[in-house]
Amino acid sequence: MRTRKGKHLILSLIILIIALGAIAYGVVDKEHLTVLQKSTVICMECIGLG
């Protein structure tokens, strides 16, 4: 019989693995460059240069 703490640990590990997989997919697909480009445009518009 598993304890409540054990179930929380397993759920946390599953969520961690899914999150790491999503991050790895984003890096391989070069999504970080898209995010950087969009954030630069938004920042420039905020200070009135865009």
Side-chain angles (χ1 to χ4, degrees):
M1 184 172 161
R2 292 190 175 151
T3 64
R4 180 174 239 176
K5 188 175 182 179
K7 288 181 183 179
H8 285 304
L9 178 63
I10 291 172
L11 182 61
S12 296
L13 289 175
I14 290 171
I15 292 172
L16 177 65
I17 290 169
I18 291 170
L20 290 175
I23 291 170
Y25 177 77
V27 170
V28 169
D29 202 31
K30 298 191 187 321
E31 284 295 317
H32 60 287
L33 299 175
T34 304
V35 172
L36 179 63
Q37 182 183 21
K38 288 181 180 183
S39 65
T40 302
V41 170
I42 290 172
C43 185
M44 295 299 246
E45 287 178 358
C46 284
I47 60 175
L49 297 177

